[in-house]
Amino acid sequence: MFNIKNINDELFGKVVANPTRSELRNLANNMEKTTEFKSASYISKVRNRSAKNTYIVDEIEVGVDQKEISKSKADEIAAKVFEYIKDKEVIRVDRKMGMNDKFSFNCRLYISKEYARIAHMWNNTLFNPTNTENPDLVSIYIPEWPERMMFAYPETGVTFILGSDYFGESKKSFLRMAMYKVKKAGGLGFHAGSKVLRVYNKDNELKDVGFIMFGLSGTGKTTLTIHDHELTGEEKAVVRQDDVVFMDKNGYCVGTENGFYIKTEGLNPKNQSVLYKAATSENAALENITVDENGNVDFYDTTLTSNGRGVILREEIETTDDTVDLEKANKIIFITRRNDIVPPVVKLNPKQALEAFMLGESIETSAGDPTKAGQSKRCVGTNPFIMGPEIEEGNKLREILQKNPDMECFILNTGSVGAKDNTSGEKLTIKVSTTIMKEIAKDNIEWIEDKEWGYMIPKNVDGLEIDKYNPRNYYTKDEYNKIATKLKLERKVWLAKYEDSVVDEIAATI
């Protein structure tokens, strides 16, 4: 019925093509409350992604954890959309994903003009276009549509976003599609941040150590990506990318975006100084954050939602440099957020890394499903935007790790340890996590094997009283075994969904 080549301006009643950043803000002026920082703040009706309303068109084999819609049904809805938009005034924004040619995509968003705030925010997440005539990916966004539904045509490269005015839907529509295209091209797309820690290692050599950090929204991925780790002098942290990276077979990671979409709950200059400074710039665009009649911003007030957000410009993060790419992911961090028996950090062998990837363990946050916030959650690759069989992603990662034995993998817990009954346990603070990452970069941690789980745990970590965070110190033997038995069973049940000999082998070792 249609393809990406015949979706053009002629389908719409009127098109405002590629307004500038300031023009987009002006177009959204009627929706803006200006903050004390002279930045724009907006409020949406929908305040989190609508995962339950997101579908993959069955022009490909759809994964176990994805919702499928038949092409005939999708085409039927698309036809109604095309009928509606023929008299519609829309904004068209063309942007480029990535800085270079490798795994780079021309992206085009069409959105109803009255929702210019979404166009304004999305414009600030990607790079200036180099080719506005030949889009690789197109999203058609009609927030006022009477039914909430998002559906993506993987092969066609087109996404329809209907009935939601939440900005995150536009951002993820392009990243989701790009990850699928990269997988088809032989790479792998990750829901992960990336950075370099330049440190003196245990041999007193100054080294650049590349990190990528997997993590579901709300688990601390952005905070850890942007943190400076209190490095000074010749040692420093360099931020590359916040949300999605594309990895090739050699571990090279291509960045995607020029803006960061951060959670703002509890944001403060003491613990998150780099983020706070960018979020209080006049160029930031805030979303669903309490702003009073005088423009005063309260990052602690969650009256509107605990999923308050902000788009900040990468150039205003003082720890960035001139590239979003990473020469190699020397260290791969799987961020989880659990509160009981998962240690603050564990070191994995390649088989355990594949297990961690396929399990994608964490807890639900307000960014996903606010009604289930705090409950256990699993998501392959901590990536709810996979299209196609999830096991393809795991097997590709396994191939990369086998080809690159120098790449090391870890699980980092950003929750707490020892929670039970009415006790929240010992909190694993930002300071704990950033110190651990710094010492991993320095190759300065002594590891010992946990006989029960098979992974390695730290015997000591400079700057931390690591025994304070040993989960076994907070439970009786029976209490610990009860939690461990339940966790192992949950993991086996989860992995049983993915029919593959490698996954079966992993499940048998749990």
Side-chain angles (χ1 to χ4, degrees):
M1 182 184 72
F2 66 89
N3 59 54
I4 202 164
K5 299 299 182 185
N6 62 22
I7 295 180
N8 55 58
D9 294 4
E10 295 179 3
L11 295 173
F12 301 87
K14 183 179 179 182
V15 174
V16 180
N18 290 317
T20 64
R21 180 190 297 173
S22 61
E23 287 170 343
L24 282 168
R25 182 173 176 180
N26 288 336
L27 285 168
N29 185 59
N30 64 320
M31 292 186 169
E32 176 182 322
K33 178 180 278 189
T34 305
T35 74
E36 59 188 298
F37 313 116
K38 300 182 181 180
S39 60
S41 68
Y42 307 114
I43 296 177
S44 62
K45 292 180 181 178
V46 180
R47 292 171 188 168
N48 58 279
R49 282 184 289 104
S50 301
K52 294 179 181 178
N53 305 87
T54 303
Y55 300 85
I56 309 302
V57 179
D58 66 357
E59 57 185 10
I60 64 167
E61 180 185 355
V62 176
V64 174
D65 299 319
Q66 299 150 37
K67 299 186 73 172
E68 180 180 76
I69 185 172
S70 69
K71 188 174 184 302
S72 59
K73 179 64 176 176
D75 288 350
E76 180 184 329
I77 300 169
K80 294 177 181 178
V81 174
F82 286 129
E83 179 64 24
Y84 174 76
I85 63 176
K86 68 181 184 181
D87 298 315
K88 183 72 182 171
E89 186 171 10
V90 301
I91 297 171
R92 188 190 96 203
V93 181
D94 292 285
R95 305 297 284 167
K96 181 183 178 183
M97 185 183 296
M99 293 183 74
N100 305 303
D101 293 333
K102 187 182 180 75
F103 297 148
S104 177
F105 300 92
N106 300 314
C107 302
R108 174 174 292 180
L109 173 70
Y110 287 105
I111 186 165
S112 305
K113 185 183 177 184
E114 57 266 38
Y115 291 89
R117 63 175 169 81
I118 296 174
H120 172 223
M121 295 174 73
W122 183 72
N123 178 81
N124 290 356
T125 65
L126 297 183
F127 296 91
N128 291 329
T130 54
N131 185 342
T132 59
E133 301 300 320
N134 299 292
D136 300 304
L137 311 173
V138 173
S139 289
I140 298 175
Y141 198 164
I142 310 296
E144 71 274 18
W145 195 258
E147 179 183 8
R148 191 183 304 179
M149 175 177 272
M150 300 80 194
F151 53 99
Y153 290 82
E155 295 295 332
T156 309
V158 177
T159 303
F160 288 83
I161 309 168
L162 309 174
S164 171
D165 66 339
Y166 181 63
F167 161 72
E169 298 290 1
S170 60
K171 171 180 159 66
K172 294 303 185 183
S173 70
F174 291 99
L175 293 170
R176 178 193 295 116
M177 194 69 71
M179 283 191 278
Y180 175 73
K181 300 295 185 185
V182 168
K183 181 169 61 174
K184 285 191 65 180
L188 193 54
F190 293 138
H191 182 220
S194 60
K195 72 190 305 180
V196 171
L197 293 187
R198 181 170 296 162
V199 295
Y200 281 102
N201 64 16
K202 61 184 179 182
D203 297 320
N204 204 34
E205 300 170 317
L206 190 63
K207 295 283 189 180
D208 281 355
V209 183
F211 281 77
I212 63 169
M213 291 139 289
F214 292 81
L216 289 168
S217 297
T219 55
K221 175 172 60 66
T222 296
T223 298
L224 293 178
T225 298
I226 295 176
H227 205 279
D228 62 9
H229 298 262
E230 299 180 358
L231 293 169
T232 58
E234 291 185 286
E235 295 189 310
K236 64 179 180 178
V238 184
V239 178
R240 291 291 161 81
Q241 193 64 150
D242 168 50
D243 196 20
V244 168
V245 296
F246 305 139
M247 183 184 285
D248 69 11
K249 63 182 180 180
N250 299 314
Y252 185 95
C253 294
V254 175
T256 54
E257 296 182 290
N258 194 35
F260 295 165
Y261 188 42
I262 66 170
K263 278 181 66 70
T264 57
E265 181 183 354
L267 190 63
N268 65 79
K270 181 180 179 181
N271 294 328
Q272 298 159 294
S273 59
V274 177
L275 276 182
Y276 185 85
K277 184 176 180 181
T280 53
S281 161
E282 66 178 308
N283 293 316
L286 306 181
E287 178 186 52
N288 299 323
I289 298 168
T290 299
V291 180
D292 69 17
E293 63 276 9
N294 297 316
N296 297 310
V297 177
D298 189 345
F299 290 125
Y300 284 88
D301 188 332
T302 58
T303 304
L304 291 171
T305 176
S306 57
N307 190 35
R309 294 278 187 159
V311 173
I312 59 177
L313 300 182
R314 184 178 182 277
E315 64 201 50
E316 296 190 342
I317 300 292
E318 59 190 28
T319 50
T320 57
D321 61 8
D322 60 356
T323 180
V324 294
D325 296 346
L326 190 69
E327 286 297 323
K328 187 155 193 176
N330 305 110
K331 313 294 182 184
I332 296 178
I333 307 289
F334 299 100
I335 302 172
T336 189
R337 180 161 285 184
R338 291 187 65 90
N339 299 318
D340 43 38
I341 63 172
V342 176
V345 65
V346 301
K347 187 176 182 180
L348 309 171
N349 63 38
K351 184 180 288 186
Q352 292 165 342
L354 178 56
E355 175 189 332
F357 181 86
M358 293 302 298
L359 288 170
E361 287 183 333
S362 193
I363 57 173
E364 184 62 86
T365 71
S366 54
D369 185 348
T371 65
K372 296 181 179 179
Q375 297 181 20
S376 293
K377 179 184 174 96
R378 290 179 176 85
C379 178
V380 173
T382 63
N383 182 5
F385 314 107
I386 292 172
M387 293 198 288
E390 292 86 358
I391 188 58
E392 292 177 352
E393 317 273 324
N395 283 334
K396 186 66 180 178
L397 175 61
R398 178 169 57 93
E399 291 174 11
I400 294 172
L401 292 177
Q402 288 174 339
K403 186 179 188 313
N404 298 272
D406 56 321
M407 294 168 65
E408 295 184 323
C409 302
F410 306 83
I411 293 175
L412 187 71
N413 184 10
T414 59
S416 58
V417 295
K420 59 180 177 179
D421 300 328
N422 297 320
T423 303
S424 59
E426 187 69 36
K427 173 63 181 168
L428 295 166
T429 63
I430 295 172
K431 170 73 171 176
V432 171
S433 298
T434 56
T435 299
I436 287 171
M437 286 181 60
K438 178 172 65 178
E439 296 305 311
I440 286 173
K442 290 173 174 284
D443 192 23
N444 206 28
I445 298 178
E446 183 181 352
W447 302 92
I448 56 175
E449 183 180 2
D450 184 297
K451 299 297 184 182
E452 178 175 358
W453 298 96
Y455 49 51
M456 307 297 285
I457 57 175
K459 184 177 180 181
N460 58 65
V461 178
D462 279 2
L464 295 178
E465 186 184 342
I466 198 63
D467 200 50
K468 177 182 177 182
Y469 305 102
N470 184 341
R472 295 181 190 274
N473 293 338
Y474 294 85
Y475 301 101
T476 66
K477 187 174 181 180
D478 286 345
E479 286 174 332
Y480 187 95
N481 288 341
K482 184 178 179 180
I483 297 170
T485 298
K486 182 175 182 290
L487 181 59
K488 291 173 185 178
L489 179 59
E490 288 178 354
R491 288 173 172 177
K492 287 186 176 183
V493 170
W494 175 264
L495 290 172
K497 299 190 300 180
Y498 309 101
E499 298 179 2
D500 184 89
S501 59
V502 175
V503 172
D504 292 342
E505 183 182 346
I506 292 171
T509 64
I510 293 178

